[in-house]
Amino acid sequence: MATITSTADRNTSAGSIIVTWAAMANADTGTAFQVPSAANLTFQHSGTFGGATIVLQGSNDGTSWATLTQTGGSNVAFSYTTAGIHCPVEMPVYVRPVTSGGTGTAIDAVLVCRAVYQKTSY
């Protein structure tokens, strides 16, 4: 039941921000990360799950949190018990991973935020 502090690497050659919450265990909550405006998100989770579940939550006020859904038109919640990589439908102001159940001891959560550049004149 710990709060896991994220690290953010903003010096990537692709212009992305890579946010990592490392070694999450059962009932851990990642610190909130404020998503840059006009960004695409990709969420990857891996490690030793031991039956634990990881969800990606979003919030627009940093207080009220809800589990995000994955792209693909099926409205499937971001809730996983094995390694994977997914993109959320929603684009909230803040995101965080949360684990529950099982005996997971080393679940890593990685969020990649890519800037979306919009052409303002044609």
Side-chain angles (χ1 to χ4, degrees):
M1 298 181 90
T3 300
I4 305 301
T5 302
S6 65
T7 59
D9 179 1
R10 290 177 166 79
N11 297 315
T12 64
S13 61
S16 300
I17 300 170
I18 300 173
V19 184
T20 303
W21 295 267
M24 296 183 75
N26 179 36
D28 285 349
T29 299
T31 55
F33 175 76
Q34 187 170 359
V35 177
S37 62
N40 283 339
L41 301 178
T42 303
F43 182 64
Q44 180 175 349
H45 40 89
S46 60
T48 305
F49 283 77
T53 299
I54 188 166
V55 300
L56 182 63
Q57 295 181 334
S59 173
N60 285 329
D61 62 10
T63 301
S64 300
W65 295 90
T67 299
L68 301 181
T69 55
Q70 69 182 31
T71 58
S74 56
N75 288 328
V76 174
F78 254 79
S79 179
Y80 304 99
T81 57
T82 59
I85 186 167
H86 310 278
C87 297
V89 172
E90 302 86 1
M91 292 299 298
V93 176
Y94 302 96
V95 295
R96 70 179 185 186
V98 177
T99 60
S100 63
T103 59
T105 56
I107 302 170
D108 295 326
V110 178
L111 182 73
V112 176
C113 304
R114 282 198 179 85
V116 177
Y117 298 101
Q118 297 178 349
K119 190 172 182 178
T120 56
S121 62
Y122 295 92

